[in-house]
Amino acid sequence: SFARAAALNPVDSEVQIWLGRLKMMQGKPQEAVKILEGLQEKSEDRVALLAEGYLLLGRLPDGIRILENQVRTDPLDLQALLSLAQMSLLQAEPESKKLRVSEKYLKLILSREDDYRTRGRLAMFQEKWKYPAKDADSIVESAKSLLQQIERKIEVLSQAS
């Protein structure tokens, strides 16, 4: 099994991240989080999976914290920004505050889209990174859709007050 293969090479972070992903797919977020927390790797995949695991375990502040750290480290991590926008809506805060925070992250995605795509093209040219064009398109479309919903809610809230 994959778990046995991962046990044979516990220092291979890519294998461990895949094991964490499998644990998440098996509905075992606690085991996934334990594996992912033990890694020194700060990859986008690890952070996204760990944040999702924290969310599933009811550890929303931990999920937000790790995503905020990721965005400070890599301001062009559009997936982390989208996850922050989504998780912000789940916080125990007044509705208007949650909407404004989420709106901020979504607008950052849209403002950084071109830089993200440029970085991807440059990395492809240098053969260091596979440019995830489909991922970028999907993230941007999700951000635009969620931003429209949030802007409508903000408008309704402002008319009500």
Side-chain angles (χ1 to χ4, degrees):
S1 80
F2 196 84
R4 281 192 296 251
L8 292 174
N9 196 356
V11 294
D12 186 338
S13 60
E14 191 172 328
V15 171
Q16 297 300 317
I17 290 170
W18 271 102
L19 180 58
R21 181 175 285 117
L22 286 173
K23 293 294 183 185
M24 292 289 284
M25 291 167 58
Q26 293 172 343
K28 299 176 181 177
Q30 195 160 10
E31 290 179 34
V33 165
K34 185 177 178 181
I35 291 165
L36 297 166
E37 283 180 334
L39 298 175
Q40 298 301 313
E41 171 87 21
K42 303 293 183 209
S43 72
E44 291 178 13
D45 283 346
R46 176 192 171 265
V47 169
L49 283 169
L50 193 51
E52 181 184 349
Y54 286 147
L55 178 62
L56 291 172
L57 294 174
R59 294 172 55 186
L60 183 63
D62 290 330
I64 289 173
R65 177 188 45 77
I66 195 167
L67 290 167
E68 287 174 339
N69 288 341
Q70 176 67 13
V71 170
R72 272 193 290 281
T73 302
D74 182 2
L76 296 179
D77 185 341
L78 301 188
Q79 183 58 56
L81 285 167
L82 181 59
S83 295
L84 273 170
Q86 294 164 333
M87 285 185 161
S88 296
L89 295 172
L90 302 174
Q91 292 188 80
E93 299 282 345
E95 187 72 10
S96 61
K97 183 177 180 182
K98 291 190 294 192
L99 292 171
R100 292 288 182 198
V101 170
S102 183
E103 178 185 43
K104 174 187 79 169
Y105 291 126
L106 294 168
K107 287 183 175 180
L108 281 173
I109 290 170
L110 300 179
S111 71
R112 294 175 180 172
E113 175 188 2
D114 289 340
D115 292 335
Y116 178 81
R117 291 177 189 279
T118 300
R119 177 176 78 174
R121 285 187 207 93
L122 178 62
M124 264 181 58
F125 179 71
Q126 296 173 342
E127 298 181 20
K128 292 182 181 175
W129 183 55
K130 184 179 176 196
Y131 175 52
K134 286 187 205 172
D135 291 346
D137 293 342
S138 173
I139 291 167
V140 169
E141 286 308 310
S142 294
K144 285 179 181 177
S145 174
L146 186 55
L147 184 58
Q148 287 176 344
Q149 293 171 30
I150 286 173
E151 287 173 339
R152 276 183 255 154
K153 287 181 180 181
I154 289 172
E155 187 177 325
V156 168
L157 283 175
S158 66
Q159 290 174 355
S161 32

